[in-house]
Amino acid sequence: MMFLLPVIFLCIFCCSIEYWPDPQRGIREAYRVLKIGGKTCIIGPVYPTYWLSRFFADMFMLFPKEEEYIEWFTKAGFKDVQIKRIGPKWYRGVRRFGLIIGCSVTGVKPAAGDSPLQLGPKVKDAEKPVNPFVFLARLLIGSLAGVYYVLVPVYMWLKDKIFQLCFVVSERLLEF
């Protein structure tokens, strides 16, 4: 960020951390630009539990664990770090299929100044040419992952609707 002085009272990053090359550096920068008492909130995905979901998550992009979010905030100097799971209304907490349910993490800047976390220089991206076969393989797996992460929530939503319908039918049958 281009701010020289801490001028921001609230930083919100929604659905972007999975694209950051160095999340710890980004959270440290959010700390730097905040005023004392300012808050940072990151809303992002959580690492899946199901083996196939984990495979696609590892191939697709960054899916941090809840503990990583807390560690990044704490290391950057934030206090009162809180994490809250978020998800659709139909999600009942069963992560059997590794559905990516997100979380929101907040932290408060307690003191003036830069983050107490000292990081070394940024690592430069590799400038060697990309192997076309590796590129094609990653493109195909990434496309499959995109389809997978669309179909799993649709399946979970349909399953919930069928469950609700069965519940209503069973209640009406019990009334007779």
Side-chain angles (χ1 to χ4, degrees):
M1 293 183 189
M2 298 302 294
F3 300 108
L4 297 176
L5 299 172
V7 294
I8 298 173
F9 192 71
L10 179 64
C11 277
I12 299 175
F13 302 97
C14 184
C15 303
S16 65
I17 193 167
E18 58 268 27
Y19 303 106
W20 298 1
D22 187 353
Q24 182 67 77
R25 194 173 296 278
I27 294 169
R28 181 183 181 277
E29 181 66 7
Y31 184 96
R32 184 187 71 79
V33 300
L34 283 174
K35 291 182 175 184
I36 298 171
K39 277 191 171 185
T40 290
C41 175
I42 293 181
I43 301 167
V46 177
Y47 195 68
T49 56
Y50 187 60
W51 70 270
L52 186 58
S53 298
R54 281 194 312 267
F55 170 76
F56 282 131
D58 291 339
M59 295 302 292
F60 195 44
M61 61 181 69
L62 173 72
F63 287 90
K65 295 180 173 85
E66 291 173 342
E67 301 81 32
E68 289 177 300
Y69 283 110
I70 294 170
E71 179 184 343
W72 291 332
F73 269 71
T74 306
K75 280 184 175 179
F78 285 100
K79 300 293 181 203
D80 194 25
V81 177
Q82 297 178 8
I83 191 164
K84 180 180 179 191
R85 289 184 179 176
I86 54 177
K89 180 175 75 172
W90 47 263
Y91 179 73
R92 292 189 294 273
V94 179
R95 293 188 66 192
R96 190 171 92 207
F97 296 102
L99 183 64
I100 303 302
I101 298 300
C103 67
S104 82
V105 187
T106 57
V108 177
K109 181 176 181 175
D114 205 0
S115 170
L117 178 63
Q118 299 302 314
L119 297 173
K122 284 185 187 179
V123 176
K124 299 278 186 193
D125 288 336
E127 295 181 14
K128 63 182 178 178
V130 177
N131 180 331
F133 295 111
V134 171
F135 175 79
L136 183 60
R138 287 191 60 98
L139 176 68
L140 291 174
I141 291 173
S143 299
L144 278 172
V147 169
Y148 176 79
Y149 285 121
V150 167
L151 292 179
V152 168
V154 169
Y155 163 74
M156 297 293 283
W157 178 79
L158 285 171
K159 184 177 163 184
D160 182 67
K161 291 297 177 192
I162 292 169
F163 175 79
Q164 287 177 4
L165 180 64
C166 290
F167 183 73
V168 169
V169 169
S170 66
E171 278 187 338
R172 290 197 178 153
L173 287 174
L174 289 175
E175 289 175 0
F176 288 113

